[in-house]
Amino acid sequence: MTETMPETVQTDVVVIGAGAVGENAADRIVRGGLSAVLVEADLVGGECSYWACMPSKALLRPGTALREARSLAGSREAVTGTLDAAAVLERRNSFTSNWDDAGQAEWVAGAGIDLIRGRARLAGEREVEVAATDGRTLRISARHAVVLATGSAPAVPPIEGLDTVDFWGTREATSAAEIPARLVVIGGGVAGVELAQAYARLGAKVVLLARHGILGSFPEPARMLVAEGLGADGVEVRASASPASVRRTDDGGVEVTLEDGGTVTGDRLLVATGRRPALAGLGLETVGLGTEMLDTDGSGRVAGIDGGWLYAVGDAAGKVLLTHQGKYEARAAGDAIAARAKQEPGSAEPDAWSRFTATADRFAVPQVVFTDPEAAMVGRTVEQAREDGINASETSLDIAVAGSALYADEYRGWAQMVVDEDRRVLVGVTFAGPGVSELLHSATIAIAGEVPLDRLWHAVPAYPTISEVWLRLLEKYGL
């Protein structure tokens, strides 16, 4: 019997993974004058579009809007009902296009990018093998580069019995068709707290088990405000709670036994304990690499590869597991690949802050927790800054300005800025409170642009907005 030879395809660049990160990489490559093939085994648009960023925020927003209406005298008297869970889920579905990627695939085609649906793996230097969904086996040869944009996979904790129960990951939680009466959440990170609050507002009785407390990377005052918001919505947060085992109950629910001997029961269990780069099954061993973590430079080039043809961006690179930061890395990598193919000056070993390197990954990463109240942070905490050898000071205060008073009756918020005293520039900013996510980009600009505090003083915040907190921070600092 003769083995069928794989069909051969040639292109300039192969991008494995057609999520938001892979799409951005391929788009930049094509804009730079090269050809690109995107390979995707699941839905084009990826995790963020269908199971993470968009559906989770769609689940959260109606509850926040309702709370905002109730926070103001005059409008609270008009609120007579509760959330319509079915309507919230239907609106969520609209943001995922009902898990139909036809629109995303149309965008890919319109951008001049070739799309192959199937599972891809490396098969040698600049070689990719694809088990296509139509039954074909394809061999793609890349003239210049292969980009890994495969995202991340849930990190499942080693809890006894977890493999014997039907538990939710974040995918199942963001795409669920009904609201459980009782939900147990394991994990106090961003996904855990966001989904705990969303489901509590939709009618579930929620217990959140947080081994190390919630939102450990944020300053304590910001964490406390979020914890109070969760409690106000009925979420029972159990800090320092360590699950020891899980079992199915006779009524089809789950029971979690804690290390201290206590138990928690629910109709559904959500495990939201972080994510890890999705590198398994990619054939990395064919080019002498392992599957635990890749070492990449600022343009995404993977270390240890002769000729520098392999790149990793987004969650696959394992640096900053945030969609917006992955898209930023993808744009830098795509531009670098196209420029290097043309041997453009400055592209081989690009300077910091050039368009060919994702320098902000180290200094100016913005992140938002879309709970109510929100928590938003960019750059470093004062502890991180000092660990990095920076002569850092911190200035913090409650957000209590005219704009916040207008935003909500009894508004509560907190703000902090971290200053490099030797250079007199910001290296970190944190906000917590209702609506503060829209303040974050100004802080990101100040940090990425290294705006001197004496110049920042002249950036006058409009009155009356919550942004006036900038003036109060600078005044308290001493300007």
Side-chain angles (χ1 to χ4, degrees), residues 3 8 43 46 55 118 137 168 174 177 189 197 199 225 250 252 277 300 317 340 343 346 354 372 461:
E3 183 176 348
T8 300
L43 296 181
T137 299
W168 278 355
T174 57
Q197 187 171 52
Y199 271 92
L225 282 172
D250 293 339
R340 287 165 185 164
Q343 298 183 334
S354 81
D372 183 16

Side-chain angles (χ1 to χ4, degrees), residues 253-274:
V254 292
E255 180 183 79
V256 180
T257 299
L258 306 178
E259 289 184 356
D260 64 7
T263 60
V264 182
T265 57
D267 300 295
R268 282 287 183 183
L269 172 65
L270 165 59
V271 178
T273 50

Side-chain angles (χ1 to χ4, degrees), residues 11 18 37-38 77 95 102 192 223 244 254-256 268 277 285 298 316 338 368 372 406 419 428 432:
T11 188
V37 171
L38 263 175
E77 289 76 10
F95 279 94
R223 297 200 300 268
V254 292
E255 180 183 79
V256 180
R268 282 287 183 183
E285 69 281 358
V368 178
D372 183 16
L406 286 167
V419 175

Side-chain angles (χ1 to χ4, degrees), residues 310-361:
L310 184 62
Y311 291 71
V313 291
D315 287 8
K319 291 180 177 178
V320 184
L321 275 62
L322 295 167
T323 298
H324 50 269
Q325 217 65 20
K327 291 161 67 174
Y328 161 69
E329 294 170 12
R331 293 190 291 269
D335 284 351
I337 290 167
R340 287 165 185 164
K342 303 170 188 174
Q343 298 183 334
E344 288 185 13
S347 64
E349 298 295 336
D351 294 333
W353 301 110
S354 81
R355 67 187 183 93
F356 304 130
T357 184
T359 309
D361 275 354

Side-chain angles (χ1 to χ4, degrees), residues 125-208:
E125 183 175 341
R126 296 184 178 85
E127 297 287 322
V128 174
E129 188 172 273
V130 181
T133 55
D134 61 9
R136 295 178 298 161
T137 299
L138 304 178
R139 186 91 169 196
I140 310 177
S141 296
R143 299 181 189 92
H144 296 291
V146 176
V147 181
L148 305 179
T150 49
S152 57
V156 180
I159 299 174
E160 180 183 343
L162 188 58
D163 59 347
T164 68
V165 301
D166 182 21
F167 65 89
W168 278 355
T170 51
R171 272 197 173 201
E172 291 77 17
T174 57
S175 61
E178 59 185 22
I179 309 302
R182 301 170 300 164
L183 177 65
V184 180
V185 181
I186 298 177
V190 176
V193 297
E194 287 185 349
L195 290 169
Q197 187 171 52
Y199 271 92
R201 286 178 161 180
L202 290 169
K205 181 179 180 180
V206 180
V207 178
L208 174 63

Side-chain angles (χ1 to χ4, degrees), residues 422-456:
D422 293 336
R423 296 186 298 144
R424 294 263 292 180
V425 297
L426 293 175
V427 293
V429 176
T430 300
F431 300 111
V436 297
S437 60
E438 296 302 336
L439 299 178
L440 192 62
H441 194 55
S442 57
T444 304
I445 292 169
I447 293 172
E450 299 182 324
V451 179
L453 290 186
D454 291 338
R455 177 59 63 87
L456 192 61

